[in-house]
Amino acid sequence: MAQIIDGVSRTFNEFLLLPNRTRTDCSPEAVDLGTPLVRHAVGDPSPIALRAPFTSAIMQAVGSPELAIALARNGGLSFLHHNRPVADQAADIRAVKNFKAGFVVSDTNVRPGDPLSTLQELMRRTGHSTAAVTDDGTGTGRLLGLVTSRDFHPQRHPADEPVSSRMIPVDVLPVATDDITLSQANSRLWDERLDCLPVVDGDGRLRHLVFRSDYSDNKRFPNQLVDADKRLRVGAGVNTHDYRERIPELAAAGADVLCFDSSDGFSDWQAQAIAWTKEHFPGLPVGGGNVVDGEAFRFLAGAGADFVKVGVGGGSICITRDQKGIGRGQASAVLDVAAARDAWAAESGQYVPICSDGGLVHDYHMSLALAMGADFVMMGRYFARFDQAPGAKLPTRDGFVKEYWGEGSGRARNWQRYEQGGQSLVFEEGVDGYVPYAGDLNEGLAVTIAKMRATMVSCGALTIPDFQSTARLTVVSEQSFQESHATVAVRDAPDAFERS
């Protein structure tokens, strides 16, 4: 007969944290949300450590260079999805790695012979008032000049007049070479009273633009996740089918870390793929998953996984449990795998971080996941709501929503992830839907981080390891769960916490 596992399959909704003593030195500003991303020797720092414990899901509806940049600037990491040609995925990796805070890759570019009507339409489409004039009309062409919205007027200058007639030629422009630092560039902007400073390479080809308007913006992100060359870090998802062809290109593009993406990672296929990656790219960390118990964790850690993702069927867009009857409540899965990770660390001297992926409906669920032992969390629905996610923003009677679809849906058809036999999806394991629009990632994540810091302070913890070692949890009843919510009529008018 089948083996029955002791205990109930529990979700995060079934737990609350008990407050611990809050010391006088315990304040939200003092909380350190740093956490290891990849395997390291016990007692040593991780080769890659997150500044904030957030990663984005390996999904078409979530992954984009824009979101990866925004999340890395806030201390987290994105894993760009693999359900597309490797050239497209590698191009997105390069876009993130080429981004420099304050150094903008120009996306508003024209050729000198283009008519002013083309320039005007381009500025309208991008929303930018400064355009680079290059020999080939690209952001990496040989710089010939700059033209701004102040240099021409649609009613004074004929629409068919060439851009060259209104641009400021490069020979009279202040220009910097590509060895300039951001600090030096900002000094030139202020000392020379410039609005924009182009940066070119030795051949005169445009590399970046530095704007005075970005100066204060760069001060907003003190916890950026960067590599040794001060480039933002970014991850990439891979599958167990074409990894031999895909991984070399992703490594060449500059991916900092990989993650095998599978709805069920407890398989010989994934172990073999991880082993191949470690053999051929030993310096490139690679994660595995997904798993729901300690036995599966040990299997992937033994195969060489540098971190392990936890969770099967708990995602908001996922219907794997409905379709196949497999999975486990996310709280139970995290607790079990965390215990196995700690035992593995004691036995082997190697700490293999774990990631809670799925089941995170509310912000406080993220804190619960960390308290239960997760080193960081991975989220899809949460990030799909923001401007930087690729889903379309659509109006409804109740406000705006963003498109959000699962990798197991008919829209994504990510057969590589679900292993149903053959190169197609036989049945869906995800749905296609919408999530409420939440605006800018930077603002939304700041609120989530503020809640997490406040929770840890109430539990008397200043670091995630302290939080995990001292947290006290209680199982809630249905009545105590209902007691957690407001029981008065909530007024609809904006209050002091909402912007007018």
Side-chain angles (χ1 to χ4, degrees), residues 204-218:
R205 304 185 71 83
L206 182 64
R207 293 291 304 276
H208 298 101
L209 300 175
V210 184
F211 292 94
R212 183 196 293 231
S213 58
D214 287 340
Y215 177 78
S216 59
D217 178 66
N218 296 328

Side-chain angles (χ1 to χ4, degrees), residues 5-271:
I5 303 300
D6 290 338
V8 177
S9 177
R10 297 193 180 277
T11 69
F12 292 130
N13 267 342
E14 297 178 77
F15 291 89
L16 285 174
L17 285 157
L18 299 183
N20 285 333
R21 173 189 169 189
T22 301
R23 306 178 307 276
T24 56
D25 65 338
C26 200
S27 66
E29 297 77 18
V31 171
D32 179 1
L33 292 177
T35 189
L37 176 70
V38 298
R39 177 192 294 249
H40 59 92
V42 174
D44 291 344
S46 174
I48 304 177
L50 300 173
R51 306 293 296 275
F54 308 103
T55 60
S56 66
I58 308 171
M59 300 177 67
Q60 297 173 49
V62 178
S64 72
E66 294 77 16
L67 191 137
I69 289 168
L71 184 51
R73 296 188 81 185
N74 283 278
L77 184 89
S78 286
F79 287 91
L80 297 175
H81 77 90
H82 57 87
N83 192 15
R84 53 182 166 158
V86 64
D88 294 344
Q89 189 182 15
D92 281 357
I93 294 292
R94 285 191 292 270
V96 179
K97 299 304 294 185
N98 288 336
F99 175 87
K100 292 184 181 180
F103 290 86
V104 176
V105 176
S106 179
D107 65 353
T108 308
N109 311 289
V110 290
R111 293 168 297 188
D114 289 339
L116 291 176
S117 58
T118 298
L119 173 62
Q120 183 180 9
E121 170 58 23
L122 179 63
M123 287 182 168
R124 185 199 65 78
R125 190 166 67 247
T126 64
H128 297 152
S129 59
T130 298
V133 184
T134 61
D135 60 344
D136 60 2
T138 71
T140 58
R142 186 166 57 86
L143 182 66
L144 302 178
L146 287 182
V147 60
T148 75
S149 59
R150 292 181 297 182
D151 297 321
F152 71 100
H153 193 285
Q155 296 176 345
R156 292 185 60 88
H157 303 101
D160 59 354
E161 189 173 328
V163 167
S164 59
S165 67
R166 303 306 306 168
M167 76 179 188
I168 304 172
V170 68
D171 55 2
V172 298
L173 275 175
V175 174
T177 55
D178 56 5
D179 58 351
I180 194 171
T181 67
L182 181 59
S183 176
Q184 292 169 335
N186 283 326
S187 294
R188 287 194 60 181
L189 287 171
W190 290 98
D191 293 345
E192 300 175 35
R193 302 179 183 181
L194 307 175
D195 291 323
C196 175
L197 179 66
V199 178
V200 299
D201 64 17
D203 296 323
R205 304 185 71 83
L206 182 64
R207 293 291 304 276
H208 298 101
L209 300 175
V210 184
F211 292 94
R212 183 196 293 231
S213 58
D214 287 340
Y215 177 78
S216 59
D217 178 66
N218 296 328
K219 303 297 183 181
R220 293 173 54 197
F221 304 103
N223 293 316
Q224 298 187 78
L225 187 66
V226 296
D227 60 21
D229 296 320
K230 304 300 181 183
R231 301 178 302 171
L232 295 178
R233 289 196 182 275
V234 63
V238 289
N239 63 70
T240 57
H241 295 269
D242 66 0
Y243 62 91
R244 293 179 180 86
E245 296 76 37
R246 186 171 294 268
I247 289 177
E249 292 201 37
L250 298 178
D256 292 284
V257 58
L258 306 175
C259 183
F260 278 98
D261 180 39
S262 174
S263 63
D264 174 16
F266 194 5
S267 75
D268 290 347
W269 299 112
Q270 188 164 134

Side-chain angles (χ1 to χ4, degrees), residues 376-425:
F376 56 97
V377 299
M378 177 175 281
M379 297 178 291
R381 177 198 61 85
Y382 177 89
F383 288 114
R385 306 172 303 150
F386 294 123
D387 287 322
Q388 292 86 346
K393 175 184 172 183
L394 304 172
T396 71
R397 289 182 301 176
D398 300 319
F400 286 97
V401 296
K402 290 271 288 187
E403 292 181 314
Y404 182 44
W405 60 98
E407 287 300 291
S409 67
R411 178 173 181 174
R413 304 202 67 79
N414 190 349
W415 61 270
Q416 300 97 325
R417 189 180 198 277
Y418 290 92
E419 298 292 348
Q420 296 175 3
Q423 296 187 6
S424 66
L425 281 181

